[in-house]
Amino acid sequence: VRPRDSWRELAGRYFTPREAACCVDLLSFYHAWVRKEAFLKALGLGLPHGLERFEVSIPPDDPPRLLHIDGDVGAARRWTLHA
């Protein structure tokens, strides 16, 4: 994990409000970023698709999972994330 002073700004800019609020330290930010990036790669899309269009769980409280895709909880349940 590389130190990054701008992680709070990045979370506020690219994550959903709930995700940004759950990123309490650099490690939780990286967990969220990697989960979000992995989902976009699974779709064959890049970051410009929109990291804010879907929401992932943030550790340490939740195991890896999608919470919604464009507000659709059912669509998120069809996917599995692994740490």
Side-chain angles (χ1 to χ4, degrees):
V1 174
R2 180 176 56 135
R4 177 179 290 270
D5 293 335
S6 61
W7 68 267
R8 284 184 183 90
E9 178 186 335
L10 291 169
R13 184 173 178 190
Y14 294 109
F15 292 179
T16 68
R18 182 167 54 172
E19 287 169 332
C22 289
C23 286
V24 296
D25 57 22
L26 183 61
L27 189 56
S28 60
F29 167 80
Y30 273 120
H31 277 286
W33 186 274
V34 168
R35 290 173 184 187
K36 293 175 87 63
E37 186 176 11
F39 177 64
L40 288 177
K41 285 182 178 181
L43 293 175
L45 302 170
L47 296 177
H49 178 71
L51 291 171
E52 77 288 346
R53 295 182 59 190
F54 60 95
E55 191 166 83
V56 297
S57 60
I58 310 285
D61 299 330
D62 281 328
R65 63 190 170 102
L66 284 166
L67 302 177
H68 73 76
I69 302 168
D70 286 327
D72 185 344
V73 175
R77 289 185 182 144
R78 292 190 287 270
W79 288 87
T80 303
L81 293 176
H82 295 277

